[in-house]
Amino acid sequence: MKNTLIAAASLAAMATSVPAAALAQAPTMGLYGNANVGMVDAGEANLKAIQGRLGYRFNNWLGVEGELATGLKSDTDTIGGVEVNTKLKHAAGAYLVGFAPVGAN
């Protein structure tokens, strides 16, 4: 009897925690953004850039993003006996983003 009561209480506790965990992992809608610093591979030149991205999530499955980047560091290389100084002026992009619920995390 005591084991049955403990098993029933454990089962009830698990049944109430699963919906709460699913609710905590529900995707959020609205505006989001990030910024980063990274390396840009431009053939012979290795450049550094800072980038910002802004996006908006419309629903559980669809969103849009736009990004802008600018160069931080130039690189000088010798190509065909001529020194060439390369620097990233700017980069831009726009994306349609799809979200897929593949796993819990």
Side-chain angles (χ1 to χ4, degrees):
M1 177 74 169
K2 185 177 178 181
N3 290 340
T4 306
L5 187 56
I6 291 172
S10 298
L11 194 59
M14 287 189 300
T16 58
S17 66
V18 170
L23 184 60
Q25 296 173 359
T28 58
M29 308 311 155
L31 193 63
Y32 61 91
N34 64 30
N36 63 46
V37 176
M39 298 290 290
V40 177
D41 180 12
E44 296 292 322
N46 293 316
L47 309 172
K48 290 188 176 165
I50 186 167
Q51 176 188 40
R53 182 175 292 175
L54 194 60
Y56 189 82
R57 189 169 182 170
F58 295 110
N59 56 33
N60 291 343
W61 306 278
L62 190 62
V64 293
E65 288 183 356
E67 69 180 24
L68 293 173
T70 187
L72 293 177
K73 177 187 168 257
S74 62
D75 192 14
T76 302
D77 292 312
T78 303
I79 301 173
V82 177
E83 279 195 7
V84 178
N85 187 10
T86 307
K87 182 174 182 178
L88 176 68
K89 286 186 178 181
H90 63 272
Y95 309 96
L96 181 64
V97 184
F99 299 96
V102 215
N105 293 324

